[in-house]
Amino acid sequence: VAGEVARLDGLLDWYAPRRGAYPWRRPNPDPYAVLVSEVMLQQTQAARVVPAFESFMARFPTVEALAGAPAAAVLRQWSGLGYNRRAVALSRAARAIARNHGGQVPRDPGALASLPGVGPYTASAVASFAYGSGVPAIDTNVRRILARVFHGLEPAEVPAGDVRLTAEEAVDRTDPGAWNQALMDLGREVCRARPRCQACPVAKGCWSAGMLSDPAARARPRQPPFEGSLRQVRGAVIRELAAAGDQSVRSLVRRTGHVADRIAFAVAALSAEGMVEADPAALDGRVEGRVRLAESG
Ligand code: SF4
């Protein structure tokens, strides 16, 4: 895990000067303010959220103030941000917090996710930003970064469960809120659909660095992949299994330095030839799947 996390070395240093960029990122933030900001950010860009957030917080500074306000007043205050259903849901969430949680925004992601208008992403974001819970907040941007950095693939090529596992292992335990926010900033500013790898603070550890901006690399067919180098990947898999024994696809990826889809392809070929034994998850190309040398191989 330490080796994997090291792929994101440089992320928090890069984020440090951005830490104060928005009012909801203040140190020791009020969990209610974090909840309001996250609901606003669901469908609105951060720059537009700033003035709306500040006037909303001035009008409804506490859970109780929001819970006690008529829905029409909340909607009036929300106007301009659009997607008004969020305002209605937030007002209901405030009432549920006042009624069921003693006016305290809950810290448990499961309890958060049961509030109106709070999905799994917003729940994880609030739990980590407001309470420092070590949970990853995975949105489209974060999924894209993790797929590229840890798997050497685009997000559509990595099963969602694998990205989640990667995120759970990689999340920084000392400052998970900053880690989640840093990834979001990175996805918005650098690792976009068209990545700017030259300006990227984690390029050194990223398996996709430079690949996606290189038209020649993009044009290369993926299937059947890499006949020229498949032998090398197969050789590396056998070597690592012989040296370290039974291990996961993730570990093979880490130890050989080859990307996950190449490892999966080599494992499938070696398994078909009876050289290795792989469990169904490994044959499926999933990173938690396990592989070992065949007894008779
Ligand atoms: S090096 Fe490129 S692909 Fe990798 S995280 Fe940075 S911007 Fe994204």
Side-chain angles (χ1 to χ4, degrees):
V1 174
E4 291 290 282
V5 174
R7 294 196 170 278
L8 288 170
D9 272 0
L11 180 66
L12 288 176
D13 286 346
W14 175 82
Y15 173 69
R18 291 166 170 77
R19 212 177 180 122
Y22 300 110
W24 49 84
R25 286 185 180 174
R26 294 193 181 113
N28 304 316
D30 169 12
Y32 164 67
V34 173
L35 175 64
V36 170
S37 69
E38 281 305 311
V39 172
M40 289 185 167
L41 288 163
Q42 282 169 358
Q43 272 127 336
T44 310
Q45 289 189 338
R48 281 188 57 217
V49 165
V50 172
F53 170 79
E54 289 188 322
S55 62
F56 192 94
M57 290 301 292
R59 174 84 173 74
F60 306 113
T62 62
V63 169
E64 289 73 23
L66 182 57
V74 180
L75 271 171
R76 258 198 309 281
Q77 186 63 40
W78 194 270
S79 69
L81 273 179
Y83 296 96
N84 292 334
R85 263 187 301 185
R86 291 181 294 171
V88 177
L90 187 58
S91 148
R92 289 197 188 127
R95 287 177 197 172
I97 294 166
R99 195 175 51 238
N100 305 330
H101 301 279
Q104 284 293 314
V105 173
R107 56 170 66 221
D108 171 58
L112 280 161
S114 71
L115 296 171
V118 178
Y121 167 79
T122 302
S124 300
V126 172
S128 67
F129 302 164
Y131 293 116
S133 303
V135 288
I138 306 172
D139 69 351
T140 315
N141 283 338
V142 172
R143 188 170 297 121
R144 184 170 62 241
I145 298 168
L146 296 176
R148 288 173 174 174
V149 170
F150 290 95
H151 300 269
L153 297 169
E154 288 295 275
E157 300 172 294
V158 186
D162 285 2
V163 172
R164 171 153 289 283
L165 271 177
T166 301
E168 282 167 1
E169 286 190 10
V171 66
D172 184 281
R173 308 286 165 196
T174 54
D175 198 347
W179 192 88
N180 281 329
Q181 308 228 37
L183 278 183
M184 278 168 217
D185 283 11
L186 190 73
R188 198 168 48 237
E189 296 176 33
V190 182
C191 193
R192 302 191 288 212
R194 295 184 64 160
R196 298 168 49 223
C197 300
Q198 272 139 339
C200 180
V202 301
K204 211 166 129 238
C206 175
W207 263 322
S208 300
M211 287 284 289
L212 301 159
S213 47
D214 168 5
R218 290 198 79 131
R220 247 172 257 141
R222 296 191 88 90
Q223 289 287 346
F226 331 110
E227 272 311 319
S229 65
L230 181 58
R231 220 169 21 160
Q232 291 169 346
V233 182
R234 290 164 51 117
V237 167
I238 295 289
R239 236 184 350 267
E240 293 305 332
L241 290 173
D246 172 336
Q247 59 196 288
S248 64
V249 170
R250 182 196 305 283
S251 155
L252 285 169
V253 165
R254 183 162 64 231
R255 295 176 64 101
T256 63
H258 292 294
V259 297
D261 63 342
R262 294 189 204 194
I263 294 288
F265 195 81
V267 164
L270 289 165
S271 163
E273 293 160 20
M275 305 276 287
V276 304
E277 290 170 6
D279 68 19
L283 291 175
D284 234 30
R286 299 170 65 84
V287 293
E288 75 273 22
R290 299 197 70 83
V291 188
R292 61 179 175 279
L293 283 179
E295 300 291 48
S296 57

